[in-house]
Amino acid sequence: QVQLVESGGGLVQAGGSLRLSCAASGRTFSRYAMGWFRQAPGKEREFVAAISWNGERTHYADSVKGRFTISRDNAKNTVYLQMNSLKPEDTAVYSCAAGMVIDTTASLYDYWGQGTQVTVSS
């Protein structure tokens, strides 16, 4: 069992930056691939970024490539999402998820956090 808690969301102006954190409980965190997903009002949840269990592989949605960076610290049981050059269209609830494979498909992740709101003003 893995419990995930996100933090770091907030209100930021377009062009600004935020760093989201996802803290995991349990000693098995390092076994899991981790993903970030987001859901804007009235829209379906979409993949943002993912990282393998050891951090050696990452994958990004085209819409965030070059602006967002996913990383993890297994010693701290935490995964991060550094978001730069934010745009109003990045506004959404961001959730982290843990799964056995690095993938863009939400249904392949086993554990989910509650999410943190990111709002980007124009």
Side-chain angles (χ1 to χ4, degrees):
Q1 188 79 6
V2 177
Q3 293 184 328
L4 305 172
V5 179
E6 301 93 339
S7 61
L11 174 63
V12 63
Q13 289 187 334
S17 298
L18 282 174
R19 187 176 82 154
L20 305 183
S21 299
C22 172
S25 65
R27 293 175 291 179
T28 59
F29 172 76
S30 62
R31 299 180 185 177
Y32 289 93
M34 297 296 296
W36 284 97
F37 291 78
R38 67 186 182 186
Q39 187 166 21
K43 295 187 177 181
E44 293 187 355
R45 182 166 52 191
E46 65 172 349
F47 169 78
V48 176
I51 189 167
S52 60
W53 67 274
N54 58 3
E56 291 185 354
R57 290 189 300 126
T58 58
H59 185 63
Y60 297 92
D62 288 343
S63 58
V64 306
K65 201 171 294 184
R67 300 188 298 123
F68 291 12
T69 302
I70 188 171
S71 61
R72 67 188 297 161
D73 185 338
N74 286 346
K76 295 182 178 180
N77 279 12
T78 302
V79 63
Y80 305 97
L81 185 68
Q82 178 66 45
M83 305 186 294
N84 299 329
S85 302
L86 283 161
K87 305 175 181 179
E89 51 263 44
D90 294 319
T91 295
V93 174
Y94 285 70
S95 300
C96 64
M100 296 309 297
V101 295
I102 181 172
D103 204 280
T104 63
T105 306
S107 61
L108 294 180
Y109 289 82
D110 301 309
Y111 303 102
W112 289 82
Q114 292 296 313
T116 185
Q117 176 70 45
V118 171
T119 302
V120 184
S121 63
S122 57

